Amino acid sequence: MSARSVGLPSRVPAPGLPERVTIWEVGARDGLQNESGVVDVGVKLEFLDRLADAGLGVLEATSFVHPKWVPQLADAEQLLAGLRRRDGVSYPVLVPNERGLDRALAAGVEHIAIFGSATETFAKRNLNRTLDEQFAMFEPVAGRARAEGLDVRGYVSMCFGDPWEGSVDPAQVVSVGKRLLDLGCSQLSLGDTIGVATPGQVEVLLAGFTEAGVDLGRIAVHFHDTYGQALSNTLASLRCGVSTVDSSAGGLGGCPYAESATGNLATEDLVWMLDGLGVQHGVDLAALAATSAWMAGQLGRPSPSRVVRALTG
Amino acid sequence: MSARSVGLPSRVPAPGLPERVTIWEVGARDGLQNESGVVDVGVKLEFLDRLADAGLGVLEATSFVHPKWVPQLADAEQLLAGLRRRDGVSYPVLVPNERGLDRALAAGVEHIAIFGSATETFAKRNLNRTLDEQFAMFEPVAGRARAEGLDVRGYVSMCFGDPWEGSVDPAQVVSVGKRLLDLGCSQLSLGDTIGVATPGQVEVLLAGFTEAGVDLGRIAVHFHDTYGQALSNTLASLRCGVSTVDSSAGGLGGCPYAESATGNLATEDLVWMLDGLGVQHGVDLAALAATSAWMAGQLGRPSPSRVVRALTG
């Protein structure tokens, strides 16, 4: 008798969790925008195709940030033109401003995401704007997008810590989040951009949104694994009632503003936990891990996802 | 203004956690026994010294398993003779059988750990014994150790999955654990040797021990990070009332019986979470991470701990 491959965890549900989680896959955008090299558009298209084959229903595809800032995604139009769209799969794109919205509309996009900072300092560093100027920029983007029938997601960066300001007041995050919802965002994604959060912080912030009257069904969480905390924070979020989780296939991604920031929560590590907990998600783990292993080969470095390495190493 | 180094998480306590956690540091034993090379005894002594300096109060130092099986720890006597013992620090050692106990007693050891399998197959593979034969071997070891005034810990391997048997019945684990307690073990360490567990499994197993009348104050958890689940499972354990957690500095270690098994939970990643949650542990994170970075240099490969890489990379 030889050791058999361990491909799936035992399924033992735990109380207090959502029945189903929506995985918002950000690998093609948040992942690849932080790679030092530029990936060929054909590889990106195959990546998105394989992610859809693996059962992911939301694939954040690219970004219309100016190519000067994110040359890795300068092929956004070409990518969207080549995309083999599937029924039931959504392909949101990041849009920073009206020029980006014009490009997204011209490319036939149906779902956009705008991204704001929770802190003044990061707004200044990332967008060269004050928070008020940030919202003045968002207002026509969200307004026109809604008028065109597009769905709009709002990202909030640096929700749990900021490399310049240090700790971030949850009340400040709730205030920024509410302003994004007031602009017409259907959903907020709360980002731990530098990966410093721990579960108590997560619970306090989510309680702050609940107290402010925001249904946690409209909240997604977006953790980076810089300090190895992403999955624990996700577990804490699920127990609070969150049911949308951002992650990136193979743990691709990072944050160029914090040099040590490693990738996003790996989708495979999340899927392993959800499979064990009996929470539905629709993803075929083996197909996903094979896709991430293939992508790691394209990038010429091993996947940071522990599940990918264990299943495909 | 430049980005400041993020050295510590914001402290935001969460309800339902122990006030203080004992970290049982296994890097020098479980970590180094799974390294492919043999580390010089002088390096090991410096490692243990620096771990004590960093505030760790339990340092599992070495193992008296036969050097044929674990050549990495063949220097156990030399190590213990050279150890600069500190007040308030415990240095348990692993003991497999009476011969190992003889060696431990001769070396002046005060605290031993015996290790059993939760499953018949792993007992056969690891000890070449049935479970009953395993306990027949333990009985005189634990009996003599207790008679000599030694403290005895009992490890249970493969509590959440076995590479040959697949899933493991929690009732079987509770039964094996109870037998170890009946032999005189003061504490049980429940090992996820192949790293497959998820939080629901952890909660069900701990509830099984509680139902069997075992105080969770006598239970430690020992997670491997093979599938990235170790810290989430630790969080779930703490919320059940466990207050002793095994981990290894820098995430050293693995399991030679499962080729993909990466290291133990990294002590630094655990400390980051505990610091954030306001749970006391007595460890200086910066000193610990610097020690692990130094040890990674000795081993010639990067630390698998995300915190170590973020703080020292």
Side-chain angles (χ1 to χ4, degrees):
Chain A
M1 185 166 59
S2 68
R4 65 192 191 85
S5 142
V6 177
L8 284 173
S10 298
R11 185 155 302 192
V12 184
L17 293 171
E19 201 174 309
R20 187 177 175 88
V21 159
T22 298
I23 299 176
W24 186 291
E25 169 60 47
V26 299
R29 196 278 302 169
D30 201 12
L32 296 183
Q33 84 173 36
N34 290 301
E35 286 299 319
S36 50
V38 177
V39 174
D40 184 81
V41 70
V43 171
K44 292 178 183 173
L45 287 167
E46 184 173 347
F47 185 44
L48 288 164
D49 227 32
R50 291 180 65 155
L51 292 171
D53 284 342
L56 286 154
V58 185
L59 298 173
E60 197 166 287
T62 188
S63 163
F64 284 107
V65 170
H66 195 288
K68 184 168 79 175
W69 304 115
V70 185
Q72 295 91 334
L73 304 182
D75 57 9
E77 277 86 358
Q78 204 186 340
L79 180 104
L80 290 169
L83 202 57
R84 190 155 71 88
R85 287 188 171 75
R86 313 287 182 93
D87 285 345
V89 177
S90 168
Y91 299 89
V93 302
L94 214 60
V95 162
N97 50 29
E98 286 195 89
R99 173 73 190 105
L101 179 62
D102 292 337
R103 291 172 65 199
L105 289 169
V109 160
E110 292 170 356
H111 197 162
I112 67 165
I114 60 180
F115 53 98
S117 169
T119 69
E120 286 286 359
T121 311
F122 189 65
K124 199 75 192 166
R125 292 271 163 176
N126 196 30
L127 300 170
N128 198 26
R129 282 176 168 76
T130 65
L131 283 181
D132 283 338
E133 287 166 354
Q134 165 181 292
F135 281 101
M137 178 177 72
F138 291 156
E139 196 166 351
V141 176
R144 281 181 52 206
R146 299 285 296 122
E148 295 278 353
L150 271 56
D151 197 351
V152 183
R153 170 186 241 210
Y155 276 103
V156 188
S157 299
M158 303 293 178
C159 291
F160 301 96
D162 175 296
W164 295 279
E165 297 190 11
S167 61
V168 175
D169 181 0
Q172 164 83 0
V173 181
V174 172
S175 159
V176 165
K178 289 267 285 181
R179 287 176 78 172
L180 283 166
L181 292 172
D182 290 344
L183 287 180
C185 290
S186 60
Q187 185 182 63
L188 292 178
S189 172
L190 306 179
D192 182 17
T193 316
I194 57 171
V196 294
T198 50
Q201 256 189 306
V202 172
E203 290 163 7
V204 165
L205 180 59
L206 292 173
F209 275 101
T210 300
E211 283 157 25
V214 177
D215 184 329
L216 293 188
R218 297 180 71 183
I219 300 281
V221 287
H222 181 108
F223 294 113
H224 283 234
D225 211 24
T226 319
Y227 297 89
Q229 310 295 310
L231 196 59
S232 303
N233 291 331
T234 301
L235 178 62
S237 305
L238 297 179
R239 291 208 148 138
C240 291
V242 167
S243 60
T244 301
V245 179
D246 297 4
S247 62
S248 91
L252 293 171
C255 172
Y257 303 96
E259 100 188 33
S260 63
T262 51
N264 291 273
L265 170 61
T267 307
E268 290 85 354
D269 299 12
L270 170 63
V271 165
W272 186 279
M273 185 176 81
L274 296 177
D275 270 341
L277 291 168
V279 175
Q280 295 170 48
H281 51 73
V283 177
D284 176 332
L285 180 59
L288 175 61
T291 299
S292 292
W294 164 81
M295 193 67 196
Q298 296 290 327
L299 295 168
R301 57 175 181 73
S303 166
S305 160
R306 304 209 190 255
V307 169
V308 171
R309 280 185 281 161
L311 292 183
T312 68
Chain B
M1 185 165 59
S2 69
R4 66 193 189 85
S5 142
V6 178
L8 284 174
S10 297
R11 185 155 302 192
V12 184
L17 293 171
E19 202 173 306
R20 186 177 177 88
V21 158
T22 298
I23 299 177
W24 186 291
E25 169 60 46
V26 298
R29 197 278 302 169
D30 200 13
L32 296 183
Q33 84 174 35
N34 291 302
E35 285 299 318
S36 51
V38 177
V39 174
D40 184 80
V41 70
V43 171
K44 290 177 183 174
L45 287 167
E46 184 172 347
F47 186 43
L48 288 164
D49 227 32
R50 291 180 64 155
L51 292 172
D53 284 342
L56 287 153
V58 186
L59 298 174
E60 197 166 286
T62 187
S63 163
F64 284 107
V65 170
H66 195 287
K68 184 168 81 175
W69 303 114
V70 185
Q72 295 92 334
L73 305 182
D75 57 8
E77 276 86 358
Q78 203 185 341
L79 180 104
L80 290 169
L83 202 57
R84 189 156 71 89
R85 286 186 170 77
R86 314 287 183 93
D87 284 347
V89 176
S90 169
Y91 298 89
V93 301
L94 214 59
V95 162
N97 51 28
E98 286 195 89
R99 173 76 191 104
L101 179 63
D102 293 338
R103 292 172 65 198
L105 289 169
V109 161
E110 292 169 357
H111 198 164
I112 67 165
I114 60 179
F115 53 98
S117 170
T119 69
E120 286 286 359
T121 312
F122 189 65
K124 197 77 192 163
R125 293 270 163 178
N126 196 30
L127 301 170
N128 199 26
R129 281 175 169 78
T130 66
L131 283 182
D132 284 337
E133 288 165 355
Q134 166 181 292
F135 281 102
M137 178 176 73
F138 290 156
E139 197 167 351
V141 176
R144 283 181 52 205
R146 299 285 296 122
E148 296 276 354
L150 271 56
D151 197 349
V152 184
R153 170 186 244 210
Y155 276 104
V156 188
S157 300
M158 303 293 177
C159 292
F160 301 97
D162 175 296
W164 294 278
E165 297 189 14
S167 61
V168 175
D169 181 0
Q172 163 82 1
V173 181
V174 172
S175 158
V176 166
K178 288 268 284 181
R179 288 176 78 173
L180 283 166
L181 292 173
D182 290 344
L183 287 179
C185 290
S186 60
Q187 185 181 66
L188 292 179
S189 171
L190 306 179
D192 183 16
T193 317
I194 56 171
V196 294
T198 50
Q201 257 189 304
V202 173
E203 290 163 6
V204 165
L205 181 59
L206 292 172
F209 275 101
T210 300
E211 283 157 24
V214 177
D215 184 329
L216 293 188
R218 298 180 69 185
I219 300 281
V221 288
H222 182 108
F223 294 113
H224 283 233
D225 212 23
T226 320
Y227 296 89
Q229 310 294 310
L231 196 59
S232 303
N233 290 330
T234 301
L235 177 62
S237 305
L238 298 178
R239 290 209 148 138
C240 290
V242 167
S243 60
T244 302
V245 179
D246 298 4
S247 61
S248 92
L252 293 170
C255 171
Y257 304 96
E259 101 187 32
S260 63
T262 51
N264 291 273
L265 169 63
T267 307
E268 289 85 353
D269 298 14
L270 170 63
V271 166
W272 186 279
M273 185 176 79
L274 296 177
D275 270 341
L277 292 167
V279 175
Q280 294 170 49
H281 51 74
V283 176
D284 176 331
L285 180 59
L288 175 61
T291 299
S292 293
W294 164 81
M295 193 66 196
Q298 295 291 327
L299 295 169
R301 58 177 180 71
S303 167
S305 160
R306 302 208 192 258
V307 169
V308 171
R309 281 185 280 162
L311 291 183
T312 68

